[in-house]
Amino acid sequence: MLLILVGGMVFSRVQASVMGSIDGELQKKGDQVVRLVSLSAQVEGIPEPLLPFINATLEDPELYVQVRDRTRRVVYRSSNLLRAIIELPEPYYQQAMHGLAGYYNLSWEQPNDLRVYFAPIVVNGQTVGIVQVARSLQAQQQVLEQLGKNLFILFALALALAAGGGYWLTGMALRPIKEATATALAITRTGNLSRRVPVRTQRHDEIGALINTFNEMLDRLEALFEKQRRFSADISHELRSPLTTILGNISLLQRAETLPDEERADMIQEIRSEAERMHRLISDLLLLSQAESGQHPLHLELVELDRILVEAFRLAQRRAGDRLDIRLVHADRAVVRGDADRLRQVLDNLLNNAIRYTPDGGRIELGLICDKDWAVIRVQDTGQGIAAEDLPHIFDRFYRADKARTRAAGGTGLGLSIVKWLVEAHRGQIHVESTLGEGSTFEILLPLAEPCDQMHVREDDAHAA
């Protein structure tokens, strides 16, 4: 559309320029004839002896000159007109008789191929004659026709180039989208999430952002599917071990009717222990599933966190017995808004984890301090520690820093995952620092519901413990 508009403007400007030049030339010649005739013209008419003088003075092979009197009779014609007469239509005759000049076109060999200028000859305020000066437009029409053809060819070529270039650019622009579509289709058909849309050059436009987002989505999907696969494998392993133990003991009990009572009691106790471990595993999985779906709301209320800390400390001492040195190093009074049972579960899981992986004679320290708007709980042990490469994954379900470690100690592999969810559900944060072979420190930050009184420590509870 823009090319057509530009071409139309070019053609119009050239045509106007050509016609303007011709009109100027015709008017100049016509006015010369009018002046010469007017010098000797009278009211009664135009003296014919003057006409040869006009012929000798203004003869031009490209111009046709014709003079009429007031009755429209031709009194002079230039020699190049031969026997032809330049017609004067009635409207222009009337216009000349009123003393006005003008232009019009006539058709000779081609439509509108003769340009005519007419002007009145006025003597003492009366029109005594009319001068007509004409010129053929055939050469100019041929030039304009050729210009139109050239412009058409140029436009056709430009449109073809634009269409080809547009098609190529569109193909280049849409190629990443086609590749993304092909990649998505291949993933759908093969289930191979490791495929990615190739990025040949770094793009900073919308398509580049789309491709990067698509690849990031595939990275996340692959990670999620890998986590799901690992989760399924882990839960299968976790359930298979106790089920194998239970089924084996039941089968043995059914076959061996003469087992001693003590051995039979041990086998029944082992069945009970494995069943309880399965029950804890399923309960933990149910809790995490409900938490992720938003179906396990917390019962929030004002909770004295220091009392829960002291209770968890006492329970941990009873569990560890004389095997470990468990200390309550600090317990500021702190009130938070939370679920008391779930906060107790957080502390129990952390302390049980510390007891499980701290060797005999080790030490576990538990503390609660106020730091500005936060209640900070620290659980520090001198256990086996966690390798740096394992730290980012310890809150994943069933993740094992030691791949050869079993669940013989009774853990389900979900304790830290539950701890992280519960802390974040209380709008808190959890951090861990660990050195392999030296021990670990878990730090929990919970927002305070009331200003913390750091000057009064529950010394009575600590000493009672």
Side-chain angles (χ1 to χ4, degrees):
M1 182 60 70
L2 181 61
L3 289 175
I4 295 175
L5 180 61
V6 171
M9 292 177 60
V10 170
F11 187 85
S12 298
R13 292 295 299 270
V14 172
Q15 185 181 41
S17 177
V18 170
M19 295 305 298
S21 175
I22 292 175
D23 288 349
E25 182 183 8
L26 292 176
Q27 182 179 6
K28 181 180 178 181
K29 293 295 182 180
D31 292 344
Q32 289 180 357
V33 174
V34 169
R35 285 195 299 270
L36 288 174
V37 175
S38 298
L39 291 177
S40 59
Q42 300 176 2
V43 176
E44 290 78 9
I46 301 173
E48 293 188 6
L50 183 62
L51 299 180
F53 177 73
I54 297 174
N55 188 49
T57 305
L58 301 177
E59 190 74 20
D60 190 326
E62 294 185 359
L63 297 179
Y64 306 104
V65 180
Q66 183 174 277
V67 180
R68 295 174 180 267
D69 60 16
R70 68 176 65 184
T71 63
R72 300 177 67 174
R73 183 175 61 90
V74 177
V75 297
Y76 172 76
R77 289 184 301 173
S78 58
S79 58
N80 54 4
L81 276 172
L82 300 177
R83 297 183 178 181
I85 296 177
I86 303 175
E87 297 180 2
L88 182 61
E90 182 65 23
Y92 304 113
Y93 168 73
Q94 295 296 333
Q95 180 179 337
M97 294 305 295
H98 286 82
L100 300 176
Y103 300 90
Y104 61 93
N105 289 354
L106 288 176
S107 298
W108 277 11
E109 298 180 6
Q110 296 181 8
N112 298 322
D113 64 346
L114 190 69
R115 185 66 169 172
V116 181
Y117 170 75
F118 65 94
I121 303 172
V122 181
V123 177
N124 294 330
Q126 294 185 11
T127 300
V128 298
I130 302 172
V131 173
Q132 294 173 278
V133 181
R135 179 171 181 169
S136 174
L137 298 178
Q138 291 185 8
Q140 286 74 19
Q141 286 180 340
Q142 292 176 356
V143 171
L144 292 175
E145 183 179 355
Q146 187 62 41
L147 175 62
K149 292 180 180 179
N150 292 339
L151 287 175
F152 177 79
I153 295 174
L154 178 63
F155 295 157
L157 181 61
L159 287 174
L161 291 176
Y167 181 80
W168 180 78
L169 289 176
T170 302
M172 291 292 294
L174 295 180
R175 184 170 64 179
I177 297 179
K178 293 181 179 179
E179 292 176 345
T181 303
T183 302
L185 184 60
I187 292 174
T188 302
R189 291 176 176 176
T190 64
N192 182 12
L193 288 173
S194 63
R195 300 191 59 168
R196 297 294 181 271
V197 179
V199 180
R200 296 178 177 83
T201 58
Q202 190 66 26
R203 302 176 63 118
H204 302 283
D205 55 4
E206 290 79 2
I207 294 181
L210 174 64
I211 297 304
N212 292 332
T213 302
F214 186 75
N215 284 336
E216 290 176 5
M217 181 189 67
L218 290 177
D219 291 337
R220 184 170 179 82
L221 284 176
E222 184 180 16
L224 289 175
F225 273 90
E226 177 61 24
K227 182 181 291 187
Q228 184 69 24
R229 185 197 62 78
R230 188 171 64 247
F231 172 76
S232 300
D234 289 339
I235 195 172
S236 299
H237 173 75
E238 294 295 334
L239 291 175
R240 183 173 61 248
S241 297
L243 284 174
T244 301
T245 302
I246 292 172
L247 292 175
N249 284 329
I250 292 176
S251 177
L252 184 59
L253 287 172
Q254 289 176 339
R255 292 197 307 269
E257 298 178 355
T258 60
L259 283 175
D261 292 341
E262 183 178 352
E263 187 174 349
R264 182 182 297 272
D266 289 341
M267 294 176 68
I268 293 175
Q269 179 59 36
E270 188 175 5
I271 291 174
R272 177 184 293 276
S273 176
E274 294 297 328
E276 289 176 350
R277 187 156 76 94
M278 288 178 59
H279 181 268
R280 289 195 303 271
L281 173 63
I282 294 173
S283 297
D284 289 344
L285 285 173
L286 179 61
L287 174 63
L288 288 174
S289 176
Q290 290 175 340
E292 290 180 350
S293 62
Q295 299 177 2
H296 198 286
L298 301 177
H299 302 287
L300 300 179
E301 57 185 357
L302 293 180
V303 177
E304 294 184 3
L305 190 59
D306 48 312
R307 290 188 179 275
I308 296 178
L309 186 80
V310 172
E311 293 173 2
F313 165 68
R314 292 172 178 172
L315 181 60
Q317 278 189 321
R318 290 194 294 270
R319 288 176 179 170
D322 297 333
R323 190 173 68 86
L324 300 173
D325 179 17
I326 302 180
R327 301 179 183 180
L328 180 62
V329 296
H330 206 83
D332 287 344
R333 293 182 185 273
V335 178
V336 299
R337 186 168 183 80
D339 189 318
D341 291 337
R342 294 308 175 188
L343 291 175
R344 189 177 290 108
Q345 184 178 6
V346 168
L347 291 173
D348 288 344
N349 284 353
L350 288 180
L351 288 170
N352 289 340
N353 198 64
I355 292 172
R356 186 176 300 119
Y357 299 118
T358 300
D360 293 350
R363 186 177 69 256
I364 298 175
E365 294 182 353
L366 178 63
L368 168 62
I369 62 173
C370 290
D371 185 7
K372 298 181 181 179
D373 298 328
W374 298 92
V376 182
I377 301 173
R378 288 192 180 92
V379 179
Q380 186 174 7
D381 64 63
T382 58
Q384 61 190 39
I386 305 170
E389 61 271 17
D390 294 320
L391 278 177
H393 307 288
I394 62 172
F395 295 108
D396 295 345
R397 300 175 186 179
F398 298 117
Y399 184 81
R400 299 175 182 175
D402 183 0
K403 302 300 185 294
R405 183 184 301 162
T406 67
R407 301 296 184 201
T412 64
L414 299 174
L416 291 180
S417 299
I418 293 175
V419 167
K420 185 174 187 297
W421 169 71
L422 288 174
V423 170
E424 293 179 349
H426 283 81
R427 297 182 294 113
Q429 305 172 20
I430 183 168
H431 308 285
V432 58
E433 295 179 358
S434 185
T435 303
L436 194 62
E438 297 183 7
S440 305
T441 299
F442 286 83
E443 184 177 84
I444 296 174
L445 284 75
L446 296 173
L448 289 168
E450 297 179 0
C452 187
D453 185 3
Q454 299 185 15
M455 300 303 294
H456 298 87
V457 179
R458 288 194 176 275
E459 298 177 357
D460 53 341
D461 291 335
H463 290 311

